[in-house]
Amino acid sequence: MTIDDKPAVMQILKTTPEFTPAEVVVAEEVLDIYLHDPSGPDYKVLVAEIGSSIKGYVCYGPTPLTDGTWDMYWVAVAPGEQGRGIGGALFAAAEEKMKKARGRLILIETSSKPEYEKTRRFHERQGYELVTRIPDFYSVGDDRLTFQKRLPQS
Ligand SMILES: CC(C)(COP(=O)(O)OP(=O)(O)OC[C@H]1O[C@@H](n2cnc3c(N)ncnc32)[C@H](O)[C@@H]1OP(=O)(O)O)[C@@H](O)C(=O)NCCC(=O)NCCS
C-alpha cells in the first residue's frame, strides 16, 4: 500500500457495514502508522488491485513479545467484490510474507456476532481453526473468538 491508495482503502472501510465508525477510526490510525513508515516493525499492509482499482486490503504484523507469532489485524474487500477470491488472495500473499519472515503461528481475533458469520466461514475456509472464546469480551453477548493457523517450517 502507498499513500495514494489511502482514499480507496478508506472508502472500502466506510462502506463495509460490519465495521462501526469507531472501528473505522482505529483502522485508519493503524494505516497512518504504516504509511508514515512502511518499513516500521509493527504493521504491514497489502492492497488487492484489479486494473488500477483497489478492491481490498489486509493489515498484519508480528505479535509483540513473541517469537514467530503474527497477527492478522484487519481484512476488508469492497462489498460489491466479495466472494470472488480477493480476500483469499490477500491472505495468501500475507501468509507468504510471514513465512519468509520465519513466522510460525498466525492469530485472528473476531466477534461472535451474527453479522460476522460469513467472516468466520471465510477464516475456516482459509485453514484457520477456532481456539479460544472469551464470553462477553466486546460487549454483553459479543464474545471474542481467536482463530489460529500454524505455518509449516522449512
Ligand atoms: C471476510 C472477507 C475479507 C472475505 O473476502 P472475500 O474476497 O469475500 O473472500 P473470498 O472470495 O476469498 O472467499 C470466499 C469465502 O469467504 C466466505 N465469505 C465471507 N464473506 C463473504 C461474502 N460477503 N460473500 C461471499 N463469500 C464470503 C465464504 O465462506 C466463501 O467461501 P465459499 O464461497 O466457498 O462458501 C470479506 O467478505 C469482507 O471484507 N467482509 C467484511 C469485512 C470483514 O468481516 N472483515 C474481517 C474482520 S476484520
Side-chain angles (χ1 to χ4, degrees):
M1 181 184 181
T2 68
I3 190 76
D4 293 344
D5 301 331
K6 188 177 165 188
V9 171
M10 289 311 299
Q11 177 68 10
I12 292 171
L13 283 165
K14 286 178 184 163
T15 54
T16 297
E18 286 85 351
F19 298 145
T20 63
E23 286 170 333
V24 174
V25 168
V26 174
E28 182 171 18
E29 282 170 9
V30 172
L31 288 174
D32 286 339
I33 293 171
Y34 167 78
L35 290 170
H36 179 71
D37 179 12
S39 56
D42 296 327
Y43 301 109
K44 318 283 172 199
V45 184
L46 300 174
V47 291
E49 236 174 355
I50 298 183
S52 55
S53 168
I54 305 282
K55 304 295 188 191
Y57 89 106
V58 62
C59 173
Y60 63 97
T63 311
L65 303 178
T66 68
D67 177 18
T69 298
W70 287 65
D71 274 298
M72 214 50 115
Y73 288 117
W74 227 286
V75 60
V77 170
E81 305 287 341
Q82 294 174 4
R84 300 175 53 197
I86 297 171
L90 282 164
F91 262 37
E95 288 173 11
E96 204 44 49
K97 303 251 182 212
M98 293 180 211
K99 245 187 251 170
K100 286 205 174 108
R102 306 185 57 205
R104 60 182 174 82
L105 181 66
I106 310 174
L107 302 179
I108 309 177
E109 283 172 9
T110 196
S111 148
S112 67
K113 282 194 290 198
E115 301 92 286
Y116 278 91
E117 154 94 60
K118 284 196 287 189
T119 301
R120 294 191 292 273
R121 214 167 61 227
F122 170 76
H123 296 329
E124 281 162 1
R125 283 275 205 230
Q126 298 302 316
Y128 289 76
E129 63 166 327
L130 178 62
V131 287
T132 66
R133 172 188 293 268
I134 302 182
D136 302 327
F137 178 83
Y138 295 109
S139 62
V140 174
D142 185 2
D143 307 344
R144 184 175 85 181
L145 309 179
T146 305
F147 287 81
Q148 77 165 34
K149 183 177 195 172
R150 288 184 187 279
L151 290 173
Q153 299 295 287
S154 49

